[in-house]
Amino acid sequence: MIGLIFLSSFSIKKVLMKGAEKPKPKIVNIVNFIRLLEPRDPKITQQVLYETVVKQVEMMKKYHLGGSFLLQYDALMDARYQRLLKDLPKGTFEIGAWWELPQPLIEKAGLKWRGRYAWDWHADVGFATGYTPQEREKIIDVYMADFKNIFGYYPKSVASWFIDAHSLNYMYEKYKIVASANCKDQYGTDGYTLWGGYWNQAYYSSKINSYMPAQNEKNQIPVPIFRMLGSDPIRQYDTGINSSRQGVITLEPVYPEAGGDANWVNWFLKEFTEGESMEFNYTQAGQENSFTWDAMKKGFEIQLPLLARLRDEKKIKVETLEESGLWFKKNYKTTPATSFVVNKDLDNSDLKTVWFNSRFYRLNFLWEDGGLRVRDIHLFDEKFPSVYTTEKATSNECTFFTLPVVDGYLWSKPHNLAGLRFKAMIKGKEEMLEGEDPVISNEVKGQLKISWPLKTQKGTIQIDMNEKQTKITLIGGGNALNWYLDLTTAGNFPLPFKEINPQRIDAEFEHMKYGISAKQGTFTKPGGETVFRISPKANTIVLDLSNGN
């Protein structure tokens, strides 16, 4: 009887401990940013743009959903927007800044306008990257003074497709902004490339590179940068392979096969809320008014009732960008390790994926046709500078990169996809390892665990990731299976690898030296189409992906 009582108490204690686990919020920001004019289409008048925002406000109020409206300067100075936004309930809605720079702002800062129109989306004209650091400060001061004159306070959130580190740090130090946001990862879309960064969620950037996560608190700008637009975790990465730009597969309501499609939206939000995220998951809903209400109406009508229901069911938190920034800063002194997991794809597809991020690296696994491919590994280093921090852009396009180890997009062709594949030598013949569905869990804080039971061979591949390293082990397979990982690419792409030694691969990208180390296992160059092979020792591979940081 005593034993039974003890067991019961122990079980209750376990349940209570489990119940006290830190919650993993699924955060949704509804962010609508506002431009005064759209020079690319004469049918999109200022009145059409204004009415779009009116409709967004109406629908958000209908479902009792708050959010952030971010104003480009020309819209900030328009009396209609001022009246509309001042009437929004405080605490539910946030008014912030959208950091594209139109003609009135540039000229009020005493600078010459070089644009083709009163708003020009080119990177060397309509963004802070087109101006010297000293000019950027003048532009910021003008915007902030006028914003405060209109609303009575400085904006707490400033977002854009990209904001340079100098501007971001100046806004933080002088005006105390608490949140920012930049574009999802994309290649060449609209002339803007952000590639290899912290995938989704949010991060603290390096003081010398706003796209690069910092590794240390002293070298970071203490403003969390949230990744916008709600990328499709499976399809966005591969779209547009071997072309100069990617397509767009996101939660944006104007895209009929993604954010404007009920089946896709329901799938995305199900995986968003149910997949393992380690700390929290994040997505941004909403749309810029340039697309007009007619184009986004259907997507809004699909998304907003669903977001309201998920909020009421306590499955998501709908917040302003400011609220999310304050929460992030309260909870994280440095960028945390997080994940975005898709356990089940859309109908008629068996694809599954895991995106893992930390302040040191990102890594993506993709399961396809029973096999497993490491589709992407990029390392982060706060010492890697961005030219835009100190110099102005001289091209109408802008590029931000991190440090590639595996790039399944840039090193691929449509029918020859690059990646690290799990293979084995069986009866003298090389074969792809095949497995069942993976099980993804977060049993230890800061660590993501993947268990992948093999199908045609004995054992389970177990992958354990923490913020600095990834460990891959074959469990229960004995010593008979000769397994390994091979990196292959689709031909003569320029690769960063300089030396491949048994315990280390040295690389260089844009004059930055970096590398990965094998704490257990070895690197080799088997020849042929294989760039390098990673072989286990005692059925285990341990890769240090911290680049010595």
Side-chain angles (χ1 to χ4, degrees):
M1 189 69 180
I2 294 173
L4 287 172
I5 292 170
F6 173 79
L7 182 62
S8 178
S9 301
F10 180 73
S11 300
I12 291 168
K13 186 177 180 183
K14 276 185 72 177
V15 169
L16 289 172
M17 286 176 65
K18 185 162 184 168
E21 284 178 359
K22 186 179 176 184
K24 300 176 181 180
K26 316 298 183 181
I27 298 170
V28 178
N29 292 158
I30 301 175
V31 178
N32 301 302
F33 53 92
I34 303 171
R35 301 187 180 108
L36 179 70
L37 49 87
E38 177 47 80
R40 293 170 290 189
D41 186 343
K43 293 196 219 57
I44 304 178
T45 64
Q46 292 187 24
Q47 185 61 24
V48 168
L49 293 173
Y50 173 72
E51 289 171 356
T52 297
V53 180
V54 171
K55 292 293 187 181
Q56 290 174 330
V57 169
E58 287 177 358
M59 188 167 281
M60 292 170 73
K61 284 183 173 179
K62 176 181 177 181
Y63 292 102
H64 308 288
L65 291 165
S68 300
F69 284 91
L70 307 182
L71 287 159
Q72 192 169 284
Y73 182 79
D74 48 9
L76 169 70
M77 303 306 291
D78 186 277
R80 292 171 302 172
Y81 290 110
Q82 293 173 15
R83 288 192 298 269
L84 176 67
L85 300 180
K86 281 181 178 179
D87 285 342
L88 294 178
K90 291 180 174 57
T92 303
F93 290 92
E94 171 195 14
I95 314 303
W98 180 252
W99 209 245
E100 291 178 357
L101 314 179
Q103 185 173 357
L105 175 58
I106 298 304
E107 291 181 343
K108 190 166 183 181
L111 305 173
K112 182 179 179 181
W113 178 246
R114 295 175 278 109
R116 300 163 296 166
Y117 316 100
W119 166 64
D120 191 330
W121 53 93
H122 280 178
D124 57 340
V125 175
F127 291 86
T129 47
Y131 303 86
T132 67
Q134 293 72 31
E135 290 171 339
R136 293 170 205 171
E137 293 179 8
K138 289 181 182 178
I139 294 165
I140 292 167
D141 289 343
V142 168
Y143 185 102
M144 292 294 186
D146 282 339
F147 189 102
K148 187 175 184 183
N149 184 53
I150 292 162
F151 290 105
Y153 57 88
Y154 294 124
K156 295 299 184 183
S157 300
V158 182
S160 181
W161 298 135
F162 46 90
I163 302 177
D164 65 282
H166 183 90
S167 295
L168 196 67
N169 199 47
Y170 185 76
M171 291 174 184
Y172 165 72
E173 290 186 341
K174 186 168 183 179
Y175 297 103
K176 309 305 178 189
I177 68 168
V178 301
S180 187
N182 64 11
C183 189
K184 67 173 176 31
D185 257 37
Q186 62 179 36
Y187 196 88
T189 309
D190 297 325
Y192 317 140
T193 293
L194 299 90
W195 195 251
Y198 194 99
W199 197 90
N200 208 57
Q201 271 78 316
Y203 66 97
Y204 293 119
S205 81
S206 161
K207 288 182 177 178
I208 61 171
N209 188 337
S210 59
Y211 185 60
M212 179 70 73
Q215 286 71 60
N216 298 286
E217 190 174 359
K218 66 179 181 179
N219 295 324
Q220 71 188 16
I221 300 172
V223 176
I225 301 173
F226 292 83
R227 304 305 305 273
M228 297 183 73
L229 304 183
S231 268
D232 185 314
I234 290 177
R235 278 159 287 275
Q236 177 63 54
Y237 184 89
D238 287 334
T239 183
I241 280 177
N242 211 30
S243 65
S244 60
R245 63 193 62 210
Q246 287 189 307
V248 180
I249 309 174
T250 68
L251 192 60
E252 292 171 90
V254 296
Y255 292 106
E257 296 182 359
D261 176 75
N263 189 44
W264 187 94
V265 170
N266 278 276
W267 164 79
F268 177 85
L269 291 174
K270 184 175 188 294
E271 298 304 314
F272 169 78
T273 54
E274 295 180 4
E276 179 55 64
S277 60
M278 300 179 66
E279 290 288 328
F280 73 103
N281 211 349
Y282 174 82
T283 197
Q284 177 249 318
Q287 189 78 66
E288 66 220 77
N289 64 337
S290 295
F291 278 103
T292 77
W293 183 246
D294 285 346
M296 69 182 74
K297 178 175 183 285
K298 179 184 175 184
F300 262 76
E301 289 173 343
I302 291 167
Q303 292 184 25
L304 265 60
L306 180 54
L307 292 174
R309 177 170 64 79
L310 292 170
R311 175 206 57 201
D312 294 344
E313 293 172 353
K314 310 297 186 188
K315 291 182 178 179
I316 65 171
K317 295 177 69 177
V318 180
E319 299 181 336
T320 64
L321 189 53
E322 176 189 0
E323 287 174 320
S324 298
L326 290 170
W327 173 86
F328 188 96
K329 194 167 181 180
K330 179 181 177 182
N331 283 274
Y332 306 111
K333 291 189 180 300
T334 55
T335 302
T338 65
S339 59
F340 195 124
V341 171
V342 172
N343 289 300
K344 188 180 187 307
D345 196 10
L346 291 160
D347 294 341
N348 305 315
S349 169
D350 70 342
L351 298 177
K352 300 168 182 64
T353 198
V354 170
W355 284 96
F356 174 87
N357 305 279
S358 79
R359 57 193 161 126
F360 296 94
Y361 69 100
R362 81 174 193 185
L363 190 153
N364 176 237
F365 293 101
L366 185 72
W367 286 264
E368 48 195 343
D369 299 324
L372 175 55
R373 174 165 62 109
V374 178
R375 188 164 56 164
D376 186 279
I377 302 175
H378 278 76
L379 306 188
F380 304 146
D381 195 319
E382 63 196 13
K383 299 184 292 295
F384 183 44
S386 167
V387 65
Y388 307 121
T389 303
T390 56
E391 300 176 26
K392 65 180 185 178
T394 56
S395 164
N396 62 11
E397 298 193 353
C398 228
T399 58
F400 293 86
F401 291 102
T402 60
L403 304 172
V405 175
V406 176
D407 196 317
Y409 179 77
L410 291 179
W411 302 346
S412 291
K413 291 184 178 177
H415 302 292
N416 187 1
L417 301 178
L420 268 172
R421 288 177 170 84
F422 285 69
K423 300 179 179 180
M425 191 65 69
I426 299 169
K427 296 181 180 178
K429 182 182 176 183
E430 184 175 84
E431 295 185 10
M432 295 281 294
L433 288 178
E434 291 186 28
E436 308 286 352
D437 290 344
V439 177
I440 298 105
S441 60
N442 172 217
E443 298 170 1
V444 178
K445 183 176 174 57
Q447 296 186 23
L448 189 69
K449 177 181 176 181
I450 300 171
S451 295
W452 183 44
L454 297 180
K455 186 183 291 184
T456 56
Q457 305 295 324
K458 290 183 179 179
T460 296
I461 295 288
Q462 181 172 307
I463 304 166
D464 296 286
M465 289 168 279
N466 63 33
E467 66 172 6
K468 287 192 172 186
Q469 68 179 34
T470 293
K471 178 181 179 182
I472 305 170
T473 307
L474 174 62
I475 296 173
N479 297 315
L481 187 63
N482 178 17
W483 64 279
Y484 46 87
L485 280 68
D486 274 358
L487 175 64
T488 56
T489 66
N492 298 320
F493 293 102
L495 301 179
F497 310 115
K498 298 301 181 184
E499 284 193 48
I500 298 172
N501 296 309
Q503 304 312 131
R504 182 173 170 84
I505 295 176
D506 289 304
E508 184 175 342
F509 178 78
E510 293 192 351
H511 309 296
M512 181 73 180
K513 291 180 170 59
Y514 62 101
I516 62 173
S517 300
K519 298 297 186 184
Q520 189 166 337
T522 55
F523 301 114
T524 56
K525 292 176 67 177
E529 295 181 350
T530 303
V531 178
F532 61 77
R533 174 172 292 173
I534 313 175
S535 301
K537 180 180 180 182
N539 270 332
T540 298
I541 294 168
V542 179
L543 300 177
D544 183 345
L545 300 171
S546 69
N547 196 33
N549 287 303

